[in-house]
């Protein structure tokens, strides 16, 4: 008899995957953590019933969070990832030779522990000497930082539980303070089919803090609706005006220099959300 997991993405819709076996399940200090092996997507990390990442499609999200802001900034040296305990964004950040230090601040150490064990191809760069892993509250880390980082990436869950404060205007104001005078930041901002209000509200808040604010998208099949958005805020550099010679070759499966700008071309119903 087959065992199936369903993430109920709305009251009326969900995504379902066949489970071959459960690798680990635990109620951490912050959330319910499940690591399962699926028939279609390989190992899957689930937090509070929501799919966070899978072996099959993880590269889309991690590449698009990392490379868009890192190619937008002309010389990113000091980078912060808030959340992202699976290590995928860190892995992508380290592909940029200009990066001298990458700090990961993840509130739940169990996410790091079990990602290393069951998602080694994602978490494998967390031991790199350029990486500083801190099990701490990202909101408070930002609040205590001033003019430190070139690029900040917010790799959070949806705005529930420990991530709820990461979707507030006060947090974006803190990010602006934590960034250097020419800093860039990006945050995942959910999907336009089921959480259009979140995209509208975040974009409005970020735009009130950063002079350059833009929205871009990617296709991630295990995330609600498959169409995912990211909001980028920049003090100086426009991601749509990156000069051709700034792009350098890196190993990717989704991101390309052509896609960098194309990702900002939005379907009309999405662009209407941020008018």
């Amino acid at each position: 008899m087959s065992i199936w997991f369903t993430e109920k993405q709305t009251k009326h819709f969900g995504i379902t995957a066949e489970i071959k076996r459960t690798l680990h399940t635990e109620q951490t200090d912050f959330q319910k953590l499940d690591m399962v092996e699926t028939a279609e997507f390989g190992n899957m990390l689930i937090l509070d019933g929501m799919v966070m990442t899978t072996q099959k499609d993880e590269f889309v999200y991690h590449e698009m969070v990392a490379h868009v802001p890192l190619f937008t900034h002309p010389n990113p040296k000091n980078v912060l990832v808030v959340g992202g305990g699976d290590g995928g964004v860190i892995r992508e950040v380290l592909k940029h030779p200009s990066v001298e230090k990458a700090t990961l601040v993840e509130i739940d150490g169990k996410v790091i522990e079990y990602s290393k064990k069951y998602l080694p191809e994602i978490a494998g760069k967390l031991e790199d000497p350029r990486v500083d892993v801190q099990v701490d509250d990202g909101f408070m880390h930002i609040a205590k930082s001033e003019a430190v980082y070139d690029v900040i990436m917010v790799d959070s869950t949806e705005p529930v539980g420990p991530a709820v404060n990461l979707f507030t205007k006060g947090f974006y104001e803190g990010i602006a303070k934590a960034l250097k005078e020419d800093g860039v930041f990006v945050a995942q901002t959910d999907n336009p089919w089921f959480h259009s209000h979140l995209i509208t509200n975040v974009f409005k808040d970020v735009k009130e803090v950063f002079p350059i604010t833009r929205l871009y998208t990617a296709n991630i099949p295990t995330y609600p609706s498959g169409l995912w958005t990211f909001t980028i805020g920049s003090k100086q550099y426009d991601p749509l005006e990156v000069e051709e010679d700034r792009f350098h070759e890196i190993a990717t499966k989704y991101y390309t220099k052509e896609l960098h700008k194309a990702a900002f071309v939005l379907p009309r119903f999405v662009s209407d959300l941020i008018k």
Side-chain angles (χ1 to χ4, degrees), residues 237-271:
Y237 309 115
D238 191 333
L240 291 180
E241 296 179 359
V242 180
E243 296 177 1
E244 190 73 16
D245 60 1
R246 197 182 300 170
F247 293 103
H248 54 83
E249 281 299 318
I250 53 174
T252 61
K253 296 181 181 179
Y254 189 91
Y255 176 91
T256 66
K257 66 178 182 180
E258 293 81 12
L259 185 66
H260 177 102
K261 294 181 180 180
F264 291 89
V265 179
L266 304 174
R268 179 162 290 172
F269 84 101
V270 180
S271 64

Side-chain angles (χ1 to χ4, degrees), residues 99-120:
V99 173
E100 297 173 356
K101 182 179 180 181
T103 302
L104 176 79
V105 181
E106 165 63 55
I107 197 169
D108 194 341
K110 295 293 186 179
V111 174
I112 299 171
E113 178 183 345
Y114 291 105
S115 294
K116 285 181 176 180
K117 185 172 182 178
Y118 294 112
L119 299 168

Side-chain angles (χ1 to χ4, degrees), residues 170-238:
F171 183 57
Y172 306 134
E173 290 171 338
I175 286 175
K177 182 172 69 74
L179 285 167
K180 296 177 184 177
E181 61 182 9
D182 62 346
V184 179
F185 111 97
V186 69
Q188 72 85 9
T189 43
D190 220 296
N191 78 91
W193 290 103
F194 307 140
H195 292 288
S196 57
H197 62 286
L198 184 148
I199 295 169
T200 300
N201 292 339
V202 168
F203 194 87
K204 174 179 176 293
D205 287 345
V206 174
K207 194 172 183 179
E208 290 177 359
V209 177
F210 288 87
I212 301 169
T213 303
R214 298 197 181 277
L215 188 77
Y216 63 97
T217 66
N219 172 250
I220 306 169
T222 53
Y223 283 9
S225 84
L227 180 63
W228 211 248
T229 72
F230 307 83
T231 300
I232 189 168
S234 177
K235 294 185 177 183
Q236 290 187 22
Y237 309 115
D238 191 333

Side-chain angles (χ1 to χ4, degrees), residues 1 7 9-10 19 27 33 39 60 74 82 95 105 111 120 130 142 148 154 167 176 184 193 197 223 236 256 258:
M1 181 178 176
E7 178 188 340
Q9 298 178 344
T10 74
I19 305 300
Q27 180 66 47
L33 183 154
V60 182
V82 176
K95 292 178 181 179
V105 181
V111 174
R130 286 181 288 168
I142 289 289
V148 177
V154 183
F167 290 83
V184 179
W193 290 103
H197 62 286
Y223 283 9
Q236 290 187 22
T256 66
E258 293 81 12

